[in-house]
Amino acid sequence: MDYKVEAEKICNAVEDLAKGKLKNKEDLLRIIELALSSNKMKQLEKLAFYSKFSRGILRIIQNRDNKLDDEYFKSLQNEYLKSIQEVKNILEELLKNATQFLRTIYQEKFFKMTMQSFNALNDLCDDMVYLKYYFNDRKGLSE
């Protein structure tokens, strides 16, 4: 299997689902290629799941209204942080088979404790939501 070609097919299908609005297409492509080449598609699916989950929780937190009590709001914040940590853990696992150069780039871009890297990670999670839709569509076809 040509992993680069297969990753491009998947990434193009994801971009179609996103209607051309992917923010990190190159990064997404590399992540998909790494998952394919290291036989870690289950981890990639898990990454897409946690990305979508974190985005859903963040949406609730950002649209907080006065109906949410403080305790529930705090539990949502904790769930969000746990899901983002899971996203980072899975990404780091996928990157173990990458070159040191690529690992360094991802470390700088997504894992530093800065607002810029946090925003970049959230943008990547936005893109991963469409990857989750892709996986859902594929499951529907195989059933």
Side-chain angles (χ1 to χ4, degrees):
M1 173 192 293
D2 186 344
Y3 300 116
K4 190 167 190 69
V5 170
E6 189 63 26
E8 285 174 2
K9 284 181 189 175
I10 293 170
C11 198
N12 288 337
V14 170
E15 188 172 37
D16 288 346
L17 288 170
K19 297 183 181 5
K21 295 180 184 174
L22 293 179
K23 298 172 185 168
N24 293 290
K25 184 178 178 182
E26 289 295 317
D27 294 312
L28 184 62
L29 177 64
R30 285 187 190 102
I31 292 166
I32 294 168
E33 188 176 348
L34 280 170
L36 286 167
S37 65
S38 58
N39 199 27
K40 293 185 177 181
M41 289 304 287
K42 289 288 183 202
Q43 285 93 333
L44 185 62
E45 288 185 43
K46 192 174 171 184
L47 176 62
F49 169 82
Y50 278 103
S51 294
K52 186 172 185 312
F53 182 73
S54 71
R55 300 309 295 155
I57 293 173
L58 186 60
R59 208 169 299 115
I60 293 169
I61 290 170
Q62 289 173 334
N63 295 328
R64 181 182 183 192
D65 58 21
N66 293 330
K67 295 176 187 169
L68 294 179
D69 67 35
D70 289 339
E71 191 173 313
Y72 180 64
F73 185 73
K74 187 160 184 67
S75 73
L76 283 175
Q77 288 176 314
N78 288 334
E79 279 299 312
Y80 173 72
L81 292 174
K82 281 196 276 188
S83 66
I84 283 293
Q85 186 59 51
E86 190 65 28
V87 166
K88 287 173 67 175
N89 291 344
I90 297 167
L91 266 176
E92 287 172 341
E93 176 67 29
L94 289 172
L95 289 167
K96 282 183 180 177
N97 294 335
T99 63
Q100 181 60 45
F101 177 72
L102 190 60
R103 285 195 305 270
T104 301
I105 289 172
Y106 277 68
Q107 182 67 35
E108 291 290 317
K109 187 170 183 178
F110 298 113
F111 303 145
K112 275 190 152 188
M113 299 301 285
T114 64
M115 191 53 108
Q116 186 177 3
S117 66
F118 186 70
N119 287 336
L121 185 60
N122 275 317
D123 286 346
L124 182 62
C125 285
D126 282 341
D127 292 350
M128 288 284 175
V129 168
Y130 295 104
L131 182 61
K132 176 66 176 145
Y133 295 153
Y134 169 82
F135 286 134
N136 288 350
D137 286 353
R138 302 292 302 163
K139 284 181 184 162
L141 294 174
S142 64
E143 292 175 354

